[in-house]
Structure formats: C-alpha cells, structure tokens
Amino acid sequence: MMNVNGFLAVARRLPRGKSTLSCHAWDLGRQALRVQQRRTIRTHSRSLAYAKDLFLGQINKAEVFPYPEIGNEELEEIKQFVAPVEKFFSEEVDSAKIDKEAKIPAETLNGLKELGLFGIMIPEEYGGLGLSNTMYARLNEIIVLDGSIAVTLAAHQAIGLKGILIAGNEAQKKKYLPKLASGEHVAAFCLTEPGSGSDAASIQTRATLSEDGKHYLINGSKIWISNGGFADIMTVFARTQVEVDGVKKDKITAFIVEKAFGGITSGPPEDKLGIRGSYTCEVSFDNVPVPVENVIGEVGGGFKVAMNILNSGRFSMGSSCAGMIKKLMELTSEYAATRKQFNRSLSEFGMIQEKFALMAINAFVMESMAYLTAGMMDRPGVPDCSLEAAMVKVFSSEGGWICCSEALQVLGGLGYTKNYPFERYVRDSRILPIFEGTNEILRMYVALTGMQYAGKVLTGKIREMKKGNIFLAVNMAGKKLRTSLGASVDLGLTGKDGVVHRSLEESAKQLEQNVSLFGSTVESLLYRYGKSIVDEQLVLKRVADILINLYAMTAVLSRASRSISIGLRNHDHEVLLANTFCNDVFFKNNYLMVQLQKHAPENNDANIKKIAKAVLENRSYICSHPLERTY
C-alpha cells in the first residue's frame, strides 16, 4: 500500500502539467488509509504451503480461492500512478536509441528517478513509495517495454538493495535507503564469480577481519554485475572465517559496500546480445575496507540472505512478460489484419491464428500466476512464496521467449530487420531463462523442495503405522486402491462447497485428477529412489514441469472464476482461455506422469544419457558423414 506521504512524494516528483496525480494526491492519500485499514481487517497471516501440498495430492483451496482482489480505492490509486509511467515510457523513452548506443541516457534515468521508480518498494519512512507487491507487478508491465531499463531498475531494487530491506538493521536502513529510494545512489548485487555461477556456495571472494576488529578487507572479483559500472552501493557476498562449536569454518557473509570506500574497480560494459543499454561488467575488490557495522544479518549468514533476496523478486517476471506479450500482440495484430497474401489477410490463415492464440493464452496464464502470487505475498506476515515465485519465473521466461519469436515470425522478413522492434524483443528476452536463477536450477529447487516436504510427511505417516495406527494404514491403502482403479477424484473444487465456477467445472475436474495422480507419482518416486532422487535430474525436471502446470491451472481457474462471478468485461473470453489451457496441460501432465512410471516405454532417459555421453566424451558429433563410404 502507498500511504499519504508516499502520494505526496510522487506528486512532487512529477513534472507539473504532465499528470493528474498531483491534483488528487491529498484525496487519494486519505483513501489509501481507508483501504489499508480494510485490508488489515479482511486478511490474516497464514503459513502458505499450497505448492508443497500438491506433492501430497492435496489442494489447499483456501490459499488460492477466491482470487486476490483489491478495493475500488486502491484500484483507482493504481490507475492514477500507472498513467504518468505509461506516458513517460511512450513519450520519453527511445528504446531503439538505447539499444543502438548501448547506454541509457542520463535524462532518461533522471526521469525515472523523478517518477520515484528507484524506490518503488522502499517504505515511505525511508523516502520510498512503499508500494505493494501487486503494485510492483503492475508497474513492471510497463517498465518491461524497454528491457535495458527494466534490468537496470530490477538490479537496483529487486536484488541490489533488497538485502538491506529484508535483512538489514534499522541503522543500515536509515543510512542507505533514503538515497537509494531517490535514485541519488544506485545499487548493485555482487554474487556471481568467474568460478561460481549457479553454484553460489562456491564463491571465493574473501573478507578478512582486521586486527583491531573494526572492519573487513574484501578481496576478489565478481562478474555479470548489472549496474556494476556506476553503482554507489553494492551488496557483496564474501567468505569469512567463523567459529562453529569451537571449529573455524568458512561461511558466506553479506556486506554493504560503498564505492567510496576505495579499492573497487569496474571493467568495461559487456557487449551483450540483448538488454544492451544495461551496464553489465566485472567488478574487482582490492583490499576494500568495510566497517563491521556493514554486515547484513549475521556473520556467516550470507548464503541465506542471498537466497531470500533472489526468491523474493522472481514473481514479477510473470507480469513483466505478460506486459511484453500484450504489446507485441497489439503490434503484430495490426500487421496481420492489413497484410494480404493470396488475396487474403494473414489473420485469416489458421497457422497465424494459432500464434495469436498462443500469445493470448501465455499472457493470460502469466498474469494469473503473477498476481495470484503477488496477492499471497501481500498478506500480513512473511509468507514463504519462494516455490510459487520460482514457478512463475520459469513459466513466464520460457513463454516470453517463445512468444517473442512467434510475434517476429508473423512479420516474416520485416520482423528480422531493425526497422521494427521485434528483433530487439527477441534479443532482450533471451536472457530471461538465464538470470535470477537459471531455469534448470529453479526446476531442481522446485522439485527437490517439494519432494523433501512430501518425504517428511510420508516418513511421519510410516512411523505412525509402525506404532499401530490402523486407521492411517487403512486410509493410505484405500487411497492407493482407488487411484489404481481409476476412481473419480473430488478435492472440493466443485460441487456444494466448490470454489470454481460451473463454466470451468470440467477444467477443475482435470486439475483434481492431475493433482491426485501427481501425489501418488511423487510417493512412488520417493520409494523408488529415496535420497538418490537428488541425482535424477531428468526425473526432477518432469516433476517440476508438472507442478508448474498445476499451479498455472490453479491460477487461471481462480482468476476466471472470480471474473465471471463478478461480471468482468470479456469474462467469457477468460473462461475460454482458462479451459483451453487446462485441457492442453491436463494431457501433457498425464504423459509426463506416464514417463515417470517404472520401466515406462515412453521414457527415453537412458538413451538420452547414452547419446550425451558419446558426444561429450568425444567433444563432437560422432556420426560419419552421409557422403562417406566403406567400399
């Protein structure tokens, strides 16, 4: 929520005459207070476990139904705040120039600062706007229209200063957040090193405590650092020596490092495929003195800080990619409707129509997942939505990349030229499956976290049965028998106490069937592999893909149910999108679970490993050329 002073701060930052926001700041501020009071009354803190419960074949419908919504006053607040940002990006941002010159102009950065976009989620008491996760997601739909700006802002606040925000002490927040909120100072996140990419725990940068115990000396090098060339404040992760039970060990610690401390050198910007205007470079640290007061959290607790930072920001990629796809649909639909071939508009051809359906479905699913997750995160307390956020990131980054490619394909050769923005969107979107945790790592995280959760629950049940809990044993045996016989599944989404609208009933039943079978499949995998499941990456990939699909199905059913129930404009189209998506992934999930069965002929994992081994051992493609002969 934005409070009264937050509105006034926005009003002051906007140029006069360019927005209606300043005229209504006082009234909207009073409304914001009323909205905040109502939200506090109607929500309560929960221990979220929706995604994890899916591993048990359960749907915790109270966590995701009804779909999160905001009041009329807050909706008006969002509209008033979004308007000047949209105006700025449409009139003041020259994305083609930024891409060509590989630099964001100073006047553009200053405009972003005046809009308050460097302090979106910093609380008002530290000079920021104090917006909710939902509002942050909404703004990202606009900001993403320029990939370089989106990355620059995300590197600053989604990860760069986030450590101070979520784990810093009060003194650190008061000292650093105000200038970071205004954009006077820019932040960067320094974790990745030449020898440690996804394996963050293997970093080698070291922080050595001085003899007087007043500061640390940091030495090492970080790579791929966004904003690294001009950041004033950096969250740096380094190895420190700590004592655990009388034994000295190396543990990672997080530090707030000012460029003004000295000893910091930034390399030239990387010449990248896309997001060319963002400043990505190597940053070196040579005996950089950092006061002990600048440790974030506890000494030795830096790895947890790093993971919490990364986990908290991924959800917004859903709204970002949806915003990008919606823009591409506007551009390509105009071309498809006016371009004629064979005396027909391109829009009349089935394969072109398929591309637009694909883009519409993806945008709808991404939006649904992103705002469901944002609504969860906006509840009071600190709910753990790391699994949900990771799933949003994986689905949206891969869908965004595909949709950018399909949009370019609609224009054919024209889309391949720099006269149109499509090739830039394709280049910019290629980074999405790589940064903020590669999708391969996130799939492992999603699958293993859920499997571990299910394993603990199942172990507890086995202990209970060994103690003589006959009821539990009979219940588990009955569940297995019903599943093997293909009995109908009722997890409470439909019927008397159902939460899904009747127009989506068939899709809800498909979700229930998938979830029930998924629970049984997970149980079988745990019995089959035990702890060695951590080494079965191809198995875990399928598990993660199923879970992502289940969460996506949940999000669209919840959203469409709300839309049709309250009579939203074009709610029938939402129902169509939801049913189409659910029907598609229902069969995909079934096939994936068939592949996970023991000795399934549909499973080619053994052959895939043999092919990869032959190629990697020889460092090349090993087949003879088709023109060779032996006679």
Side-chain angles (χ1 to χ4, degrees):
M1 272 298 304
M2 188 191 303
N3 51 38
V4 179
N5 293 329
F7 275 107
L8 294 177
V10 175
R12 287 194 295 269
R13 286 170 183 151
L14 288 171
R16 292 189 179 183
K18 290 190 176 182
S19 171
T20 59
L21 181 57
S22 57
C23 301
H24 303 294
W26 285 102
D27 290 337
L28 288 172
R30 296 191 191 99
Q31 293 171 7
L33 288 176
R34 292 197 295 271
V35 173
Q36 188 173 20
Q37 290 167 355
R38 274 203 309 280
R39 291 174 94 194
T40 302
I41 292 170
R42 73 170 184 248
T43 59
H44 59 278
S45 183
R46 296 172 178 174
S47 178
L48 293 171
Y50 180 77
K52 292 179 181 177
D53 281 345
L54 293 174
F55 282 84
L56 302 175
Q58 300 172 3
I59 293 179
N60 190 348
K61 61 183 182 181
E63 298 295 352
V64 290
F65 292 94
Y67 196 76
E69 63 178 18
I70 57 177
N72 289 328
E73 291 89 348
E74 191 180 2
L75 180 61
E76 183 62 25
E77 166 197 335
I78 289 177
K79 290 178 180 178
Q80 294 285 1
F81 191 76
V82 161
V85 178
E86 286 183 327
K87 180 180 175 67
F88 179 82
F89 272 80
S90 64
E91 297 180 4
E92 305 295 334
V93 175
D94 188 342
S95 295
K97 180 181 178 182
I98 291 172
D99 181 67
K100 183 178 180 180
E101 297 181 358
K103 183 179 180 181
I104 302 173
E107 57 269 24
T108 303
L109 289 172
N110 289 335
L112 297 169
K113 294 172 184 178
E114 289 175 4
L115 285 167
L117 296 181
F118 276 77
I120 295 176
M121 298 185 74
I122 296 176
E124 183 272 337
E125 59 263 36
Y126 305 113
L129 300 179
L131 304 188
S132 65
N133 289 289
T134 299
M135 177 72 107
Y136 180 64
R138 178 65 184 92
L139 288 177
N140 270 290
E141 290 187 44
I142 309 165
I143 295 169
V144 76
L145 298 182
D146 186 282
S148 297
I149 291 176
V151 169
T152 299
L153 289 176
H156 168 75
Q157 59 196 338
I159 54 177
L161 61 80
K162 185 62 75 71
I164 303 173
L165 200 58
I166 65 176
N169 57 43
E170 190 60 25
Q172 292 169 343
K173 291 177 181 179
K174 287 181 177 179
K175 180 177 181 180
Y176 291 108
L177 290 181
K179 288 186 177 181
L180 289 168
S182 67
E184 181 179 346
H185 283 171
V186 177
F189 180 81
C190 301
L191 177 63
T192 304
E193 297 183 3
S196 63
S198 296
D199 184 10
S202 67
I203 64 170
Q204 296 301 311
T205 295
R206 179 163 292 278
T208 306
L209 187 64
S210 62
E211 291 184 4
D212 59 11
K214 293 183 178 180
H215 62 267
Y216 285 87
L217 290 176
I218 295 183
N219 288 278
S221 180
K222 303 289 184 177
I223 60 172
W224 311 123
I225 307 304
S226 295
N227 299 348
F230 56 86
D232 306 281
I233 308 298
M234 304 179 184
T235 300
V236 181
F237 297 87
R239 289 194 169 277
T240 53
Q241 193 173 81
V242 298
E243 192 169 301
V244 181
D245 298 328
V247 180
K248 292 182 178 180
K249 294 184 178 181
D250 269 358
K251 294 279 187 178
I252 296 173
T253 300
F255 297 89
I256 304 170
V257 180
E258 300 178 28
K259 197 167 188 177
F261 288 161
I264 300 175
T265 305
S266 299
E270 300 289 349
D271 189 8
K272 306 186 297 294
L273 172 71
I275 53 170
R276 294 179 54 77
S278 62
Y279 199 125
T280 308
C281 67
E282 181 175 0
V283 179
S284 299
F285 302 88
D286 184 12
N287 283 327
V288 178
V290 181
V292 292
E293 304 86 60
N294 280 33
V295 170
I296 301 177
E298 299 178 352
V299 175
F303 184 77
K304 184 178 180 180
V305 171
M307 295 303 102
N308 287 339
I309 290 170
L310 293 169
N311 287 340
S312 65
R314 295 185 177 115
F315 78 96
S316 64
M317 195 172 290
S319 61
S320 297
C321 289
M324 177 177 63
I325 294 169
K326 286 189 285 186
K327 182 64 176 180
L328 289 171
M329 288 174 68
E330 291 177 15
L331 297 172
T332 51
S333 60
E334 176 65 23
Y335 180 82
T338 56
R339 170 71 167 171
K340 290 188 178 293
Q341 290 288 282
F342 309 105
N343 295 318
R344 297 168 65 188
S345 298
L346 288 185
S347 58
E348 297 179 47
F349 292 99
M351 283 191 281
I352 297 298
Q353 293 170 353
E354 182 183 37
K355 297 182 190 303
F356 283 97
L358 173 71
M359 288 188 276
I361 291 170
N362 269 276
F364 180 71
V365 177
M366 292 170 192
E367 274 185 335
S368 303
M369 295 174 77
Y371 286 102
L372 175 60
T373 307
M376 290 178 174
M377 295 173 70
D378 281 336
R379 292 171 184 166
V382 188
D384 179 11
C385 298
S386 58
L387 277 189
E388 288 81 359
M391 290 189 286
V392 174
K393 192 270 183 182
V394 173
F395 183 93
S396 302
S397 61
E398 294 179 358
W401 161 246
I402 291 170
C403 288
C404 284
S405 179
E406 291 287 38
L408 185 152
Q409 188 72 15
V410 172
L411 270 78
L414 288 178
Y416 200 67
T417 69
K418 290 187 179 292
N419 298 325
Y420 296 86
F422 301 98
E423 61 85 28
R424 186 179 73 248
Y425 277 112
V426 169
R427 288 187 286 107
D428 285 351
S429 66
R430 187 58 188 88
I431 191 63
L432 299 178
I434 299 173
F435 71 177
E436 291 196 35
T438 68
N439 285 6
E440 290 76 15
I441 288 295
L442 291 182
R443 279 187 166 91
M444 291 286 287
Y445 169 71
V446 165
L448 286 174
T449 300
M451 297 288 276
Q452 182 183 42
Y453 175 79
K456 287 181 180 180
V457 173
L458 290 172
T459 299
K461 288 182 177 180
I462 291 171
R463 289 199 187 104
E464 286 295 311
M465 287 190 290
K466 287 182 177 179
K467 291 178 183 179
N469 190 330
I470 303 300
F471 175 77
L472 181 60
V474 171
N475 187 45
M476 291 183 69
K479 181 181 177 182
K480 282 189 176 183
L481 180 61
R482 288 192 297 274
T483 301
S484 64
L485 294 175
S488 62
V489 179
D490 183 3
L491 298 181
L493 294 183
T494 60
K496 181 181 178 182
D497 298 318
V499 289
V500 174
H501 193 274
R502 60 180 179 274
S503 62
L504 297 153
E505 186 172 339
E506 184 60 33
S507 294
K509 288 296 183 184
Q510 289 177 327
L511 173 59
E512 289 179 329
Q513 291 176 40
N514 272 175
V515 170
S516 178
L517 183 56
F518 182 59
S520 301
T521 301
V522 166
E523 186 176 341
S524 297
L525 292 173
L526 288 170
Y527 284 131
R528 190 192 319 168
Y529 293 107
K531 292 182 180 180
S532 67
I533 189 71
V534 298
D535 298 317
E536 298 294 332
Q537 287 202 358
L538 297 183
V539 170
L540 293 171
K541 179 179 182 292
R542 292 188 182 90
V543 169
D545 286 343
I546 295 166
L547 188 72
I548 292 168
N549 288 339
L550 294 178
Y551 186 56
M553 292 171 80
T554 302
V556 298
L557 289 173
S558 182
R559 175 185 175 181
S561 292
R562 171 186 175 270
S563 297
I564 195 170
S565 296
I566 66 174
L568 275 186
R569 177 176 55 88
N570 293 330
H571 59 259
D572 54 335
H573 189 65
E574 290 191 31
V575 172
L576 176 63
L577 291 169
N579 282 331
T580 303
F581 174 76
C582 288
N583 189 62
D584 184 40
V585 295
F586 170 70
F587 292 105
K588 289 180 179 177
N589 285 340
N590 284 336
Y591 184 70
L592 288 169
M593 285 186 275
V594 166
Q595 288 183 308
L596 288 172
Q597 292 177 6
K598 195 172 184 179
H599 306 308
E602 295 85 356
N603 188 309
N604 267 326
D605 289 358
N607 288 344
I608 288 171
K609 291 177 180 179
K610 288 178 183 178
I611 293 168
K613 182 179 180 181
V615 171
L616 293 170
E617 284 181 349
N618 290 274
R619 304 291 195 274
S620 67
Y621 175 73
I622 66 171
C623 294
S624 300
H625 194 279
L627 298 181
E628 288 185 15
R629 53 189 294 173
T630 59
Y631 54 90

